[in-house]
C-alpha cells in the first residue's frame, strides 16, 4: 500500500547524527521540532474535530491510554490527554536542567529516558490522530502533511531507539508503509 507524503528528500539521512555533533544536543533539537510538529497536527483538530464529546477517551486501534500523575490514574478525554501530554513535553523542554539551552552545558544522566517518555507521549497522539481523525486530514487534503510529519517522527525514533516495538504496534502497518521505501 503506497502512503502519500510530501517530497521530503532523504529524511533518513537528514536525521542522522552529524559527525562531531553531541548526541544529546541532536536529540534535544530534533525532539523540540517533533513536539512543535505534533502541536501543529493537533491544532488542525482541536477546535472542532477532537473534542471531549467526540473523543471521550484517549484511544487508538483498540488501546485506551490513561494519564498517570503522581501514582494517580486519570481517565481523560482525548483532548485532555493530549493537552496534558503536550504540556508535560513543554515543561521538560523549558526546564534548563533537562534541555539546557546553553551549548556545552551538561544534560542530565537520564536524558535519553526523558526523551523516550516524550516520544512515547507524542506517538500516542499520532496513534489517536490516525485512529480517530485520519478522515479529516483526507477531507482537507492534508494527509500527505500528516504522513510526512509522522514519517520523520518514526525515522528519528528508530534511529535513536526512542520507542519500543510494543508501543508502536497500533500503527505498525502505517509505519511499515511509510518507512519501507525510505
Amino acid at each position: 500500500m503506497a502512503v502519500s507524503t510530501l517530497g521530503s528528500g532523504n529524511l533518513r539521512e537528514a536525521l542522522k547524527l552529524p559527525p562531531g555533533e553531541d548526541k544529546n544536543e541532536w536529540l534535544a533539537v530534533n525532539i523540540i521540532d517533533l513536539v512543535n510538529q505534533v502541536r501543529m497536527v493537533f491544532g488542525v483538530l482541536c477546535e472542532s474535530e477532537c473534542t471531549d464529546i467526540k473523543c471521550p477517551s484517549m484511544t487508538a486501534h483498540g488501546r485506551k491510554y490513561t494519564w498517570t500523575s503522581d501514582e494517580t490514574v486519570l481517565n481523560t478525554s482525548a483532548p485532555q490527554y493530549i493537552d496534558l501530554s503536550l504540556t508535560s513535553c513543554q515543561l521538560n523542554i523549558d526546564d534548563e536542567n533537562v534541555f539546557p539551552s546553553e551549548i556545552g552545558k551538561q544534560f542530565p544522566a537520564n536524558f535519553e529516558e526523558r526523551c523516550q517518555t516524550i516520544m512515547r507521549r507524542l506517538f500516542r497522539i499520532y496513534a489517536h490522530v490516525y485512529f480517530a481523525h485520519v478522515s479529516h486530514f483526507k477531507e482537507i487534503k492534508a494527509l500527505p502533511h500528516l504522513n510526512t510529519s509522522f514519517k520523520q517522527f518514526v525515522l528519528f525514533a528508530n534511529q535513536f531507539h526512542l520507542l519500543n516495538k510494543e508501543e508502536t504496534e497500533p500503527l505498525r502497518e502505517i509505519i511499515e508503509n511509510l518507512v519501507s521505501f525510505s
Side-chain angles (χ1 to χ4, degrees), residues 53-67:
I53 292 168
K54 289 182 178 179
C55 301
S57 60
M58 181 66 173
T59 57
H61 301 279
R63 291 195 185 191
K64 181 177 180 184
Y65 300 114
T66 56
W67 186 260

Side-chain angles (χ1 to χ4, degrees), residues 127-174:
H128 176 74
V129 167
Y130 274 102
F131 174 70
H133 304 292
V134 75
S135 61
H136 179 69
F137 280 85
K138 289 177 184 175
E139 183 180 304
I140 64 169
K141 298 182 179 14
L143 187 57
H145 295 274
L146 173 62
N147 288 339
T148 301
S149 176
F150 186 56
K151 180 178 181 178
Q152 178 181 349
F153 174 87
V154 168
L155 290 171
F156 186 76
N158 288 350
Q159 182 137 359
F160 294 97
H161 312 288
L162 297 172
L163 290 172
N164 68 46
K165 195 171 181 114
E166 179 185 303
E167 181 71 35
T168 62
E169 184 57 33
L171 296 181
R172 180 182 47 79
E173 187 176 321
I174 292 169

Side-chain angles (χ1 to χ4, degrees), residues 91-110:
L91 287 171
N92 273 284
I93 290 168
D94 292 343
D95 185 340
E96 282 291 320
N97 295 314
V98 180
F99 276 74
S101 60
E102 189 177 316
I103 293 182
K105 186 175 178 187
Q106 280 297 107
F107 285 83
N110 68 343

Side-chain angles (χ1 to χ4, degrees), residues 26-47:
W26 187 248
L27 289 173
V29 166
N30 281 278
I31 285 177
I32 290 168
D33 180 52
L34 294 170
V35 168
N36 289 331
Q37 284 188 46
V38 171
R39 193 179 310 285
M40 285 189 291
V41 164
F42 185 62
V44 170
L45 303 170
C46 67
E47 291 298 317

